[in-house]
Amino acid sequence: MALLSVEDVDLGYGELTVVHGLTFEVNAGEVVALLGPNGAGKTTTMNGISGVLKPKRGRIVLDGKNLAGRAAHHVVAEGFRHVPEGRRVFGTLSVKENLRLGAYSLRKKPSLIAERVKEVYDLFPVLGERREQLAGTLSGGEQQMLAVGRALVTRPRVLALDEPSLGLSPRMQHEILGVASDLASQGTAVLLVEQNVREALRIADRAYVIELGRVVLTGTGKELAADKRIEATYLGGGSDELESEAAEA
Amino acid sequence: MDTFIQVVLTGFTIGSFYALVALGYTMVYGIVRLINFAHGDLVMVGAFFGWALLQLDWIEGMPMLPRLIVAGAGAVVGTSLLALVLLRTLYTRLIGRSTLGFMLVTLSVAFALEEIVKLIFGAQQKYYPPNDLSSETIDIGGVAVNGMDLVVIGLAGTLMVGMIWFAHRTITGTAMRALAVDHDAARLMGINVSFLIAAAFVIGASLAAITGILSGTYYGRVSFDMGFALGLKAFTAAVIGGIGNIGGAVLGGLTIGLLEAFVQGYLAGAWSDAVIFGALILVLYIRPSGILGERVAERA
């Protein structure tokens, strides 16, 4: 029995269905990557699990409990944390306030919040140095650390990262994905949507390739990294390096 | 010198009324980016709840202070419930869907509330029972000070400091400020957004009801049309201070109250609206987002 299983889920906006009968699972201690072109439905899938978007059909089961259709704050309390694309930190609030809000579901236990926020400062010392600074004044990499830290304060069982390395320098990309990999080795299930397919497959135990809202290919990270179709579509032509350089600039 | 001190005191008193009402506008705006034009009339509703409770037999025998506290508590509960019912039945479906719809509906509710209160209680002014403090002056350092000014300033000041503390020092207040930035990101933090929207409406309605009771006690009379002009000036105060900013609402309210008191004390009462709205135009010309308005980029 997987920790998180997404079973035959349809998702969309109004009349439009973007994700069709999507089925996949994530086990504790594993990094699972969702790959696919823009518009494949990866972000929609993340929103559907985290309760920002209500599924039209299907079940989303976390540790035996069906989360499909439950409000986002219930999903957070059940241990699923979604770090959205573009980081979405609260720019007008301080770093410390952002982290404390990440622990909003623990608000009845202020001393626990303080302890968890301190753990994030230990993991990302730069956030500790800048705790009183407004989050909007941080660099892109620091904002990504804050966005991840904001999710870690509740010690999630499943951590979903949507494009965590987008717009970051190669060094920072490496660092953020390294943190994801470490968390998985400590038992957290990590669900990863990542434009840097080479890096994603390097740390992923398994991956699902999604096109037009359906799973078209699945396998271990190693298998997919060696797969000719993946090679041609996502890894070919050295375009990654170009993208990384552009991102760094 | 005596006149000057009395004018300053009056300014702080009127300013306290504006500030308490401005806090309601600014809290709701901060969270849903909409102006609730019915907010000023909640002051009137609170004042009438209070007046009706003060007429009850069982409360009439009590000394003035407990009597006012009971009536005030009843007004706060009644006005908050009204705000919740309006939110659930009329406003919720418009929030995030139609800005114009929301504003027109709240404007309609403002007029409806006035007409309903007029139908129930009549168009004549209603008189609050007299209390000792209004008629007595207290001598402070050789200056005769009206006791009610001190009561209003003391109570309103406590509430204002409490609201600033709430917004910046509690996790619920911090969550409300986060909602000003990004609702979906707030949901992903585990924040129950619709609950906090309701909480902001209830806090705003409570402050409006307290303003209604205080104003009834201070001026000794209330009427069905007392809320609209007060609400408009409090809205102006919120904009001058920087709408969405809790400290700005306090600053804007006190500024407008002092302006009004100085114009009435040294010029003529007829000039006060011209000066207040002139000040609004001037402040917005120099600082389009208000004195304490947001300047930081919300997202990098």
Side-chain angles (χ1 to χ4, degrees):
Chain A
M1 186 68 196
L3 178 58
L4 174 74
S5 54
V6 172
E7 301 166 6
D8 207 16
V9 165
D10 282 7
L11 289 161
Y13 308 89
E15 296 289 292
L16 181 72
T17 300
V18 178
V19 168
H20 310 269
L22 191 69
T23 298
F24 67 90
E25 50 184 49
V26 189
N27 296 299
E30 170 177 69
V31 176
V32 169
L34 296 182
L35 308 175
N38 285 336
K42 296 165 295 181
T43 295
T44 304
T45 301
M46 293 264 196
N47 285 336
I49 304 173
S50 59
V52 171
L53 188 65
K54 273 195 168 47
K56 297 178 166 186
R57 192 169 67 92
R59 283 158 45 89
I60 295 162
V61 182
L62 176 63
D63 198 15
K65 280 189 196 157
N66 186 9
L67 299 181
R70 301 206 65 192
H73 59 274
H74 292 300
V75 175
V76 167
E78 292 296 339
F80 181 90
R81 291 302 302 258
H82 171 185
V83 179
E85 182 178 356
R87 310 181 265 274
R88 308 278 284 267
V89 299
F90 302 113
T92 53
L93 306 189
S94 71
V95 168
K96 188 165 114 194
E97 286 174 326
N98 269 272
L99 290 171
R100 285 166 51 78
L101 283 182
Y104 189 80
S105 57
L106 307 174
R107 64 193 175 283
K108 303 264 158 62
K109 300 168 190 158
S111 60
L112 186 61
I113 293 183
E115 196 179 298
R116 296 287 177 82
V117 167
K118 199 182 160 296
E119 284 175 19
V120 172
Y121 295 151
D122 292 339
L123 182 65
F124 300 118
V126 66
L127 295 181
E129 290 160 22
R130 310 200 158 185
R131 65 186 77 184
E132 302 299 338
Q133 210 169 307
L134 294 185
T137 65
L138 299 179
S139 74
E142 290 160 356
Q143 288 194 9
Q144 189 62 60
M145 291 176 191
L146 179 57
V148 172
R150 229 167 35 162
L152 292 181
V153 285
T154 53
R155 290 197 183 152
R157 291 194 284 175
V158 185
L159 179 67
L161 301 172
D162 193 352
E163 302 287 14
S165 77
L166 195 67
L168 303 186
S169 68
R171 194 182 58 80
M172 197 59 87
Q173 291 187 11
H174 202 77
E175 182 166 346
I176 288 286
L177 293 177
V179 168
S181 188
D182 290 348
L183 285 165
S185 62
Q186 290 156 26
T188 309
V190 176
L191 181 62
L192 179 67
V193 166
E194 176 55 57
Q195 39 84 38
N196 186 339
V197 173
R198 197 183 301 276
E199 284 286 304
L201 288 176
R202 194 177 57 78
I203 68 161
D205 296 288
R206 293 184 303 114
Y208 296 84
V209 179
I210 302 174
E211 280 173 16
L212 295 172
R214 291 181 175 84
V215 174
V216 293
L217 193 63
T218 175
T220 65
K222 273 194 186 126
E223 284 165 10
L224 289 182
D227 190 288
K228 285 207 175 60
R229 288 162 289 180
I230 297 287
E231 173 86 40
T233 317
Y234 300 108
L235 302 176
S239 61
D240 282 12
E241 278 83 359
L242 282 176
E243 269 171 35
S244 305
E245 276 171 33
E248 194 177 13
Chain B
M1 193 61 199
D2 280 14
T3 323
F4 177 79
I5 288 172
Q6 189 53 54
V7 163
V8 169
L9 265 180
T10 309
F12 272 106
T13 303
I14 311 171
S16 297
F17 293 144
Y18 291 143
L20 290 180
V21 182
L23 281 168
Y25 280 104
T26 231
M27 284 190 72
V28 167
Y29 180 84
I31 293 185
V32 295
R33 300 277 145 179
L34 293 167
I35 299 300
N36 173 12
F37 283 111
H39 184 62
D41 281 294
L42 292 184
V43 175
M44 178 273 294
V45 169
F48 272 84
F49 266 124
W51 179 80
L53 287 167
L54 286 170
Q55 311 306 310
L56 295 176
D57 288 340
W58 62 271
I59 203 179
E60 239 179 333
M62 291 185 187
M64 201 56 208
L65 190 64
R67 215 174 138 189
L68 277 174
I69 290 172
V70 171
V76 164
V77 172
T79 312
S80 297
L81 283 176
L82 174 68
L84 271 184
V85 168
L86 289 170
L87 174 66
R88 283 286 141 86
T89 55
L90 300 177
Y91 303 160
T92 299
R93 65 182 70 223
L94 294 169
I95 291 173
R97 294 210 181 91
S98 170
T99 303
L100 282 176
F102 182 90
M103 294 196 185
L104 277 175
V105 164
T106 56
L107 201 56
S108 311
V109 167
F111 290 124
L113 290 175
E114 291 183 17
E115 291 306 314
I116 291 167
V117 170
K118 191 163 78 175
L119 279 174
I120 298 175
F121 295 99
Q124 304 86 359
Q125 292 187 334
K126 297 281 175 255
Y127 294 92
Y128 265 51
N131 69 79
D132 313 338
L133 279 171
S134 301
S135 43
E136 248 172 62
T137 53
I138 300 163
D139 185 69
I140 296 179
V143 182
V145 168
N146 183 329
M148 262 319 281
D149 280 323
L150 296 181
V151 171
V152 172
I153 294 168
L155 184 60
T158 309
L159 288 170
M160 289 181 237
V161 171
M163 284 303 300
I164 293 171
W165 176 84
F166 169 76
H168 291 271
R169 290 282 173 269
T170 69
I171 194 159
T172 310
T174 309
M176 286 184 174
R177 287 189 293 131
L179 285 177
V181 184
D182 189 336
H183 280 210
D184 276 345
R187 287 193 172 89
L188 295 179
M189 299 303 107
I191 293 166
N192 183 343
V193 174
S194 47
F195 178 80
L196 284 195
I197 291 175
F201 271 86
V202 165
I203 293 172
S206 304
L207 294 175
I210 292 169
T211 310
I213 289 274
L214 280 177
S215 147
T217 312
Y218 184 78
Y219 295 109
R221 57 186 193 276
V222 298
S223 66
F224 76 96
D225 58 355
M226 67 187 276
F228 199 77
L230 172 66
L232 194 61
K233 283 191 208 163
F235 173 47
T236 307
V239 174
I240 285 183
I243 193 145
N245 185 305
I246 300 280
V250 170
L251 186 65
L254 295 179
T255 305
I256 287 200
L258 285 167
L259 271 178
E260 193 169 310
F262 272 94
V263 172
Q264 281 170 357
Y266 291 103
L267 272 158
W271 282 91
S272 69
D273 283 0
V275 171
I276 287 168
F277 291 101
L280 171 73
I281 292 167
L282 186 69
V283 168
L284 293 185
Y285 183 78
I286 299 167
R287 294 186 62 90
S289 55
I291 300 171
L292 299 180
E294 295 152 25
R295 277 152 286 153
V296 188
E298 291 185 344
R299 267 185 236 156

